[in-house]
Amino acid sequence: MQSTAATTIRRTNIAGDLATVYVADGTVEGARVDVPVLVERFPFGWQPIDILEDPCDILQRRVPSARVAALMRGMPSGTRACRPDATSTLDVGPRRDVEAIRYRMRGPFVRTVVVSGAFARGEWYGAGGGEEFFKRSGSRWIRIGGGGGALGARDLRRLGVPLSAICAFHTYDAKCPRVAR
């Protein structure tokens, strides 16, 4: 989110490592916004996660409803029906690895990070949008590709990403084995 001279923070609610910040007169993707923003505290500081159009945006992150109520108190919100099966907004992988990737991401909003073995994908938006891909090298994560837009399975294979990670990243054109239920 870009701020302008008129940008103001109208309200902030903090509940543990999450906060909602009601921003007035900011801009995202060139459009004026007057919305709450979800931010999360990590060891490196607070990071914007998502624009909140509705409490469902927090509930889909498996945050308990009492905590969602505290975060949304006094915030404007929509009334769409929540989809309980939405998992695309969840970070996946060991917390320490997720935090290391989030630290390296450009944002301004870093929506999700998925770690699969020695590979990771971070999804960002707010000044365009896209994905960044990383590979573990010893104890460090090295950026191996990505940028604006989404990379397909062929692009990821060229970067050395195995099919298991490509499938874990929910790559749009990946041909993944079906999982028995």
Side-chain angles (χ1 to χ4, degrees):
M1 175 176 303
Q2 296 178 347
S3 57
T4 65
T7 301
T8 58
I9 295 176
R10 291 191 177 165
R11 181 178 180 93
T12 301
N13 297 332
I14 300 172
D17 62 349
L18 293 175
T20 48
V21 180
Y22 184 13
V23 177
D25 297 317
T27 58
V28 174
E29 309 290 349
R32 184 181 169 278
V33 294
D34 189 41
V35 295
V37 173
L38 180 65
V39 296
E40 186 171 349
R41 183 176 32 227
F42 294 97
F44 56 82
W46 290 92
Q47 185 174 65
I49 304 295
D50 215 349
I51 290 174
L52 298 175
E53 297 176 20
D54 198 275
C56 292
D57 296 331
I58 305 174
L59 283 167
Q60 289 173 347
R61 294 178 176 277
R62 298 187 181 147
V63 175
S65 57
R67 194 164 166 210
V68 172
L71 288 165
M72 293 305 292
R73 189 168 293 117
M75 300 285 175
S77 65
T79 57
R80 74 177 197 268
C82 295
R83 294 174 296 139
D85 62 339
T87 57
S88 63
T89 58
L90 298 176
D91 287 337
V92 176
R95 182 78 176 168
R96 181 176 293 218
D97 291 332
V98 167
E99 290 168 352
I101 299 301
R102 283 185 165 282
Y103 178 75
R104 307 255 348 254
M105 294 292 296
R106 70 165 120 181
F109 294 92
V110 179
R111 192 155 192 226
T112 60
V113 169
V114 175
V115 177
S116 178
F119 293 87
R121 175 193 54 88
E123 176 191 350
W124 60 274
Y125 76 95
E131 304 170 317
E132 292 186 56
F133 295 88
F134 300 84
K135 181 177 182 181
R136 185 189 329 270
S137 176
S139 62
R140 296 183 25 202
W141 286 94
I142 308 297
R143 186 182 180 281
I144 59 171
L151 293 182
R154 176 186 279 166
D155 300 314
L156 293 177
R157 288 297 240 180
R158 278 190 229 137
L159 294 173
V161 179
L163 182 61
S164 59
I166 291 170
C167 292
F169 300 155
H170 299 286
T171 304
Y172 69 92
D173 64 346
K175 294 187 178 15
C176 299
R178 289 194 164 190
V179 177
R181 290 187 184 215

